Amino acid sequence: MVASTAFGGTVQYGYNLAIMNVPTVNFINETFQERWGMYLEVYKVTLIWTFIVSVFSLGGLIGALLAGPMSIHFGRKKTLLLNNIFLMSSALLAVTSRTARSFEMIMISRFLVGINAGVSMNVQPMYFGESAPKHLRGAVSLSSAVFTSFGVVLGQVVGLRELLGCESCWQYLLASNAVPGFIQLFTLPWFPESPRYLLIDRGDKDACLKALRLLRGCEVQRSELDEMLQEQAEVQGKRAQQPWELIADRSVRWQLISITIISSAMQLCGNDSVSNNFRIFDTFAQHVVYWMPYLSMVCVFTYILSFGMGPAGVTGILPTEIFNQTARPAAYMIAGSLMWLNLFIIGMVFPFLVSGLGQFCFVPFGAVCLITALFVGLVLPETNGKTLSMITSEFHMLNFREQERTDPKSKQAHYQQGEVIHCIAL
């Protein structure tokens, strides 16, 4: 189920980041020459190319906002399946753009595939977190980062000039993202919907038990079902919250602060900038110390490895672990929107950091990493092996700490005189 979901999910995110190549730039100039008999200046081509690349992030932001309502209305699995409509439309536009002599179709294609990535990046971890048992939540959550990296590598391999990266095949390269989508469409229907969604949102206990038996491969443990029933009782009669309602809800204040800081740090830590621009180190230092390029490569790989082992995997699953069923879709909408918005900001700001700070351009990213690490260490409770009720209780002490300080009665124990029973059977 994890592999089937991820092939149409986070694989798409990594794959579509990697498949944009140089021949597409030449097509822009050719199109202008055919239409108006003129070649564009270099900066104009660069501007159009930058917009084609960046519109992917804009689509991702829209997709993150759509993920919440879609997952509530259609369910987690059906949302992932319906999400392929954006993907297939994108692939169709990309593969026909050359025949139509329209680079605008490539822009629309990138926007649509961005929507696909935005939806899947939010709904996939929600689906995983609601389906995995407690002791496997960490491993399942890290799979999102693993498949994202696999998508990047796959996109770079397919984009080689010997395969689809040549001048005559770039349109097929841009449309090749339909292949992972077809894999998901043919395999995911065989797997069940999220058990928590079936029980808590739809109130279908029989379907929930059937899904759990299929996913676990054995009879359902009573403790796991009791945990779900407890969460169902806590949210009984409540409808799914909207993002603005979540922001105004004091009982989830620190949960919201946590996902806001950590989701923003996912991009503001500069992982994409470091991995794509590590040659800056060589440019400024290699003429002073001959071994500096080797040290910079070690630093870059260590940085990317630590990012993949921690934030990349854990951040996506965090809203599932600290929000209940009614608040979870809205929490993912907020977290996903911040991730895509900050990705766009970093893409726009980083060139100015390079020109202004030179070899110190990565220092602000280091400060973000340090501040985020301190926040996680001091504020965020450990979630490993804990039920939602246990995690909520720890956050409750943070959310209402000021009230307990100002109201001394809340700290006092209240006793009620009971009945004395004499018994010798003891």
Side-chain angles (χ1 to χ4, degrees), residues 125-203:
M126 198 187 313
Y127 185 38
F128 286 172
E130 293 177 358
S131 302
K134 284 189 300 183
H135 67 284
L136 290 179
R137 278 194 315 225
V140 171
S141 66
L142 277 176
S143 68
S144 296
V146 172
F147 279 100
T148 299
S149 302
F150 174 71
V152 173
V153 174
L154 184 63
Q156 291 174 340
V157 171
V158 176
L160 293 173
R161 289 188 178 275
E162 291 78 8
L163 296 177
L164 296 181
C166 58
E167 182 69 36
S168 60
C169 295
W170 60 261
Q171 71 272 26
Y172 303 113
L173 174 63
L174 296 183
S176 61
N177 51 26
V179 176
F182 277 118
I183 293 175
Q184 185 185 77
L185 284 172
F186 290 135
T187 57
L188 189 58
W190 296 96
F191 296 98
E193 178 58 89
S194 157
R196 289 181 181 272
Y197 174 80
L198 292 171
L199 178 65
I200 301 173
D201 288 287
R202 291 179 51 183

Side-chain angles (χ1 to χ4, degrees), residues 362-383:
F362 296 130
V363 172
F365 300 144
V368 171
C369 292
L370 179 61
I371 293 171
T372 307
L374 289 173
F375 175 84
V376 170
L378 297 175
V379 176
L380 188 68
E382 179 56 67
T383 61

Side-chain angles (χ1 to χ4, degrees), residues 78 92 102 177 245 249:
K78 286 184 180 178
L92 181 63
S102 172
N177 51 26
E245 294 174 333
D249 189 352

Side-chain angles (χ1 to χ4, degrees), residues 264-281:
S264 298
M266 267 282 289
Q267 301 299 341
L268 296 180
C269 71
N271 178 70
D272 291 339
S273 300
V274 170
S275 59
N276 293 329
N277 299 278
F278 66 91
R279 293 177 183 174
I280 293 173
F281 279 134

Side-chain angles (χ1 to χ4, degrees), residues 365-414:
F365 300 144
V368 171
C369 292
L370 179 61
I371 293 171
T372 307
L374 289 173
F375 175 84
V376 170
L378 297 175
V379 176
L380 188 68
E382 179 56 67
T383 61
N384 184 33
K386 295 181 181 178
T387 65
L388 179 62
S389 299
M390 297 166 64
I391 297 169
T392 302
S393 297
E394 295 187 45
F395 271 111
H396 182 81
M397 292 186 289
L398 291 173
N399 292 324
F400 296 98
R401 181 171 50 190
E402 297 178 1
Q403 181 178 342
E404 292 179 356
R405 287 177 179 174
T406 55
D407 186 8
K409 294 182 180 179
S410 62
K411 295 184 179 180
Q412 297 177 357
H414 296 276

Side-chain angles (χ1 to χ4, degrees), residues 226-246:
D226 287 342
E227 179 193 344
M228 293 185 184
L229 290 171
Q230 181 183 354
E231 185 179 352
Q232 182 191 32
E234 291 173 355
V235 301
Q236 190 72 33
K238 298 180 181 178
R239 60 172 179 81
Q241 290 180 281
Q242 300 297 328
W244 52 88
E245 294 174 333
L246 200 64

